[in-house]
Amino acid sequence: GMTIASAAMTSALDLKNASTFSALGLSVSNTGPDTSMSGDFGITSGSPSGSSFAISGANHVADSEASQAMLDIQSAYNDGISRPSTSNLAGDLAGVTLFPGVYSSGGAAISQSITLTFDAGGVSSSVFIIKIGGAFSTAATSNMVLANGAQAKNIFWLVGGAVGFATRAHAVGTFISVGALSLGDGATINGRTLSFAALNLYNNVLSGAVSASAQAVIDAAQAAAAQAAAAQAVIDAANA
């Protein structure tokens, strides 16, 4: 496949409070019994329509947390859009390998029919930012692959149009869309689906995001471990 190299390193976008959300939308619909998400959920107006779904984190329905998350993705989107592009993208990303950097399609739409690979080159902190001025769509059963240390949490898609994932497609990264963001039956995302407009779910598994409550447990455990290590160092010094 085609390889697109990008030399310049870029830093991750700061999602702030939105980082704990698997899904966020101005409006949300869900079809089918099998939609689930690892993080928090937010809708900024009204309540979700359609079938109920499983939320591991908090359910923020037209509350201040959902509104704040929407403001936070706006600032992250603006930050990403303002970053200088290091490479251009066009057409179908079928069989393409992307390396860390900032990619732009200009105002054009982008599609993906077969496997797209993200290659971090062995540097797991490497960041990928993909700016698509038009729509982004994937084909049924299309796949995105993380290679050589690439992490979904360091991949950011900023889409000026609508986003559409077809049936059983798999995608990676945080998707922030100005237009509607729609997932086909059984599509899966390792990352986040964050829409300034409608979010349409359909038997989807959204993994990767860690809810605010779960993150608090992790933070407390890490703090306790650090305290224990410090206490052990004092004991070791005393016994030396």
Side-chain angles (χ1 to χ4, degrees):
M2 181 172 59
T3 294
I4 301 178
S6 187
M9 288 293 289
T10 193
S11 59
L13 299 181
D14 186 0
L15 299 172
K16 301 189 179 76
N17 290 5
S19 66
T20 64
F21 284 72
S22 288
L24 179 67
L26 175 66
S27 63
V28 179
S29 70
N30 178 59
T31 303
D34 297 328
T35 294
S36 66
M37 57 193 68
S38 61
D40 299 329
F41 167 81
I43 180 173
T44 54
S45 62
S47 54
S49 64
S51 309
S52 61
F53 47 93
I55 304 166
S56 295
N59 183 16
H60 293 296
V61 177
D63 63 9
S64 59
E65 286 90 349
S67 297
Q68 186 60 53
M70 194 65 86
L71 291 173
D72 290 343
I73 66 168
Q74 184 72 65
S75 62
Y77 185 92
N78 292 344
D79 174 15
I81 291 298
S82 72
R83 302 217 187 162
S85 301
T86 50
S87 297
N88 295 323
L89 294 178
D92 185 355
L93 301 182
V96 168
T97 296
L98 297 179
F99 290 93
V102 181
Y103 296 86
S104 175
S105 75
I110 294 287
S111 62
Q112 182 215 341
S113 59
I114 57 171
T115 302
L116 170 64
T117 302
F118 291 89
D119 188 332
V123 183
S124 63
S125 59
S126 297
V127 172
F128 306 76
I129 297 174
I130 300 153
K131 305 188 286 186
I132 298 172
F136 176 66
S137 59
T138 71
T141 71
S142 59
N143 193 24
M144 294 185 189
V145 174
L146 299 170
N148 295 321
Q151 298 189 69
K153 68 178 184 180
N154 294 325
I155 300 170
F156 301 90
W157 298 78
L158 309 176
V159 184
V163 174
F165 300 104
T167 304
R168 296 193 311 282
H170 177 68
V172 298
T174 294
F175 289 82
I176 304 178
S177 70
V178 175
L181 199 162
S182 302
L183 288 79
D185 190 359
T188 56
I189 309 287
N190 176 4
R192 304 176 181 88
T193 54
L194 312 172
S195 174
F196 295 120
L199 174 64
N200 303 307
L201 303 170
Y202 191 165
N203 290 327
N204 307 121
V205 176
L206 310 179
S207 63
V210 178
S211 70
S213 58
Q215 190 61 52
V217 172
I218 294 167
D219 292 346
Q222 289 176 337
Q227 284 183 321
Q232 188 61 52
V234 172
I235 293 168
D236 292 346
N239 290 339

